[in-house]
Amino acid sequence: MTKEILDSVDDIYLEQTIIDGIYRLISMSRDGELNAVEELSPGQRALYVTWLVEGEVNNGGFNQFYFNSSGQFSGMAVDGFRLFGANKFADLMQRANTTYESIKDDLQKFNDGTIESFSKSYENNPLSEIDRLFYQIYQEENLSQFRIKYIRSHTEEFVQN
């Protein structure tokens, strides 16, 4: 990924273009996803982990985010949202992390590999309120605009050799 390519990509495709490159880098890593993500530039790492949060929460809420392997990036996500200036998302992510830490032992009983147990893990789950707040912020603030603004002003962080 060169600066010229990034400069030529329309904003509507910019995040996906970079994410595709990051996925390629991660897939080539022999050290696993977490180590590969830790090796990314701050901007790349922030894009990747906030993209994961957004996708997981929009698909199945914070409960799904933490249940899946993407939950390993929860701390990085707070920093990622802050890097982009998406402070409401960062604050909410921190709240989600704190909430999850307080219930994760209780959620273990649902981690038996069945869809039925996973579905039951949503019952009376305090992360549902955080989902609602996420969707509310998501309606008020355009997360992509935060990321695109950062990418356009820090292109060098997203150039890949």
Side-chain angles (χ1 to χ4, degrees):
M1 182 86 49
T2 66
K3 182 178 180 346
E4 293 73 27
I5 290 172
L6 288 177
D7 288 344
S8 70
V9 173
D10 192 333
D11 282 355
I12 196 168
Y13 303 112
L14 184 61
E15 293 168 285
Q16 186 66 60
T17 300
I18 295 168
I19 286 291
D20 290 346
I22 291 171
Y23 279 135
R24 277 192 298 281
L25 288 173
I26 291 171
S27 71
M28 294 184 318
S29 173
R30 295 185 175 156
D31 296 325
E33 183 183 19
L34 180 60
N35 288 331
V37 171
E38 288 173 339
E39 297 296 318
L40 296 172
S41 73
Q44 289 172 317
R45 185 171 43 252
L47 176 61
Y48 183 74
V49 299
T50 61
W51 183 273
L52 285 177
V53 171
E54 180 182 19
E56 292 279 21
V57 173
N58 281 328
N59 183 265
F62 277 100
N63 189 54
Q64 178 175 301
F65 171 78
Y66 292 109
F67 188 83
N68 289 336
S69 64
S70 51
Q72 69 186 321
F73 301 111
S74 60
M76 288 182 198
V78 174
D79 296 336
F81 287 123
R82 290 231 190 278
L83 183 70
F84 294 134
N87 293 319
K88 288 182 183 179
F89 286 102
D91 292 345
L92 187 64
M93 187 75 222
Q94 184 60 57
R95 182 174 168 188
N97 289 345
T98 301
T99 300
Y100 175 72
E101 283 301 315
S102 73
I103 64 170
K104 75 177 182 181
D105 291 338
D106 293 333
L107 291 176
Q108 284 304 308
K109 65 185 172 197
F110 300 107
N111 196 5
D112 66 4
T114 66
I115 191 71
E116 292 82 14
S117 286
F118 176 66
S119 294
K120 285 182 183 180
S121 72
Y122 282 88
E123 294 174 8
N124 301 313
N125 190 321
L127 290 171
S128 297
E129 172 62 13
I130 297 175
D131 294 343
R132 187 188 67 73
L133 295 170
F134 180 89
Y135 304 137
Q136 182 179 334
I137 295 169
Y138 202 69
Q139 293 298 312
E140 297 168 1
E141 297 189 356
N142 187 320
L143 187 51
S144 283
Q145 286 180 353
F146 283 107
R147 292 189 293 227
I148 291 167
K149 180 179 178 186
Y150 184 89
I151 293 166
R152 292 294 186 205
S153 61
H154 298 86
T155 306
E156 69 283 352
E157 284 190 55
F158 300 90
V159 171
Q160 299 170 4
N161 298 326

